[in-house]
Amino acid sequence: QQQVKQSPQSLIVQKGGISIINCAYENTAFDYFPWYQQFPGKGPALLIAIRPDVSEKKEGRFTISFNKSAKQFSLHIMDSQPGDSATYFCAARTQGGADGLTFGKGTHLIIQP
Amino acid sequence: SAVISQKPSRDICQRGTSLTIQCQVDSQVTMMFWYRQQPGQSLTLIATANQGSEATYESGFVIDKFPISRPNLTFSTLTVSNMSPEDSSIYLCSAETTTVEAFFGPGTRLTVL
């Protein structure tokens, strides 16, 4: 059973546009929701993370929106740049973190110049 | 943050042999994990590496196949035993800091012939 569903699988956005990636979760015990960016041949890099006590978190061009009642969260990349082209993974973790992260299937993002 | 290094970065191995992957973190961390990532796919948690005690394995992963050690707070090893071509994958070490953020190493790309 996939506990974190991510969409879309792939996304093409024009330079300067807004990239939006969505995730939905099932386990209400999840209390930490990070996003990772991964370039080919590299390990995932932590981009931004949120906890369910806030509805939005912004860091530079990256914003997480969180809807606890709908059990959904999304990543918005403003003013998307070709250098943002990568695979993005949402993830979730239960309180305590002893059981690691559960990842979505990933979104392959291409920013066209 | 934590900087994680892994050795080897890649290897090509023969069926039936074993490979040990080393993971070193540059600072003390609370938790260490091992993940597997098939090329182009998402990450799957193999196990939590517990300091001084047996690792905690996820469903589908067993100690005889993937023995793990964590002798101190900053170092862990994962062994892939009696390898078959199905074990060809990227193996990633992850460490979680006291601020709950999880960081990843660059990965070990394993090919089994």
Side-chain angles (χ1 to χ4, degrees):
Chain A
Q1 180 183 12
Q2 183 188 357
Q3 294 192 57
V4 180
K5 294 183 179 180
Q6 183 172 345
S7 63
Q9 184 175 356
S10 61
L11 180 63
I12 299 174
V13 176
Q14 295 297 315
K15 178 182 175 181
I18 303 174
S19 304
I20 302 174
I21 304 171
N22 301 298
C23 283
Y25 63 97
E26 300 164 1
N27 187 347
T28 55
F30 287 147
D31 74 339
Y32 176 71
F33 303 88
W35 284 88
Y36 287 85
Q37 178 189 59
Q38 187 176 33
F39 293 104
K42 305 292 186 182
L46 179 62
L47 200 57
I48 188 172
I50 197 168
R51 291 191 178 276
D53 53 346
V54 297
S55 61
E56 186 175 281
K57 182 175 181 180
K58 183 177 180 180
E59 290 184 1
R61 296 184 295 109
F62 301 93
T63 299
I64 298 180
S65 297
F66 187 85
N67 186 329
K68 187 174 181 179
S69 60
K71 293 187 286 185
Q72 295 175 348
F73 58 110
S74 60
L75 175 70
H76 291 63
I77 306 174
M78 312 300 288
D79 187 26
S80 299
Q81 299 297 311
D84 297 329
S85 298
T87 300
Y88 292 81
F89 293 97
C90 63
R93 193 209 67 174
T94 58
Q95 189 173 19
D99 49 357
L101 292 166
T102 299
F103 282 85
K105 291 193 172 182
T107 296
H108 183 52
L109 174 65
I110 296 174
I111 307 300
Q112 290 186 334
Chain B
S1 65
V3 177
I4 302 174
S5 59
Q6 287 184 231
K7 290 194 298 185
S9 59
R10 58 178 61 232
D11 207 341
I12 300 173
C13 300
Q14 295 299 317
R15 180 196 301 261
T17 63
S18 298
L19 175 72
T20 296
I21 303 168
Q22 298 181 4
C23 175
Q24 179 72 56
V25 189
D26 71 339
S27 57
Q28 289 191 357
V29 293
T30 55
M31 308 289 288
M32 293 185 74
F33 304 92
W34 286 96
Y35 290 81
R36 184 170 71 181
Q37 184 179 29
Q38 303 285 0
Q41 297 190 24
S42 187
L43 289 78
T44 300
L45 180 65
I46 297 173
T48 302
N50 299 309
Q51 185 196 358
S53 64
E54 191 171 286
T56 305
Y57 291 84
E58 296 298 298
S59 175
F61 298 96
V62 295
I63 187 171
D64 290 344
K65 178 67 175 178
F66 298 101
I68 289 170
S69 76
R70 187 183 174 191
N72 57 53
L73 287 173
T74 63
F75 184 80
S76 178
T77 66
L78 167 73
T79 298
V80 186
S81 303
N82 188 25
M83 290 183 285
S84 66
E86 292 70 37
D87 295 320
S88 297
S89 191
I90 300 167
Y91 292 86
L92 292 151
C93 174
S94 174
E96 187 173 285
T97 65
T98 54
T99 57
V100 179
E101 296 171 323
F103 298 91
F104 285 82
T108 296
R109 184 179 292 269
L110 172 63
T111 301
V112 183
L113 302 177

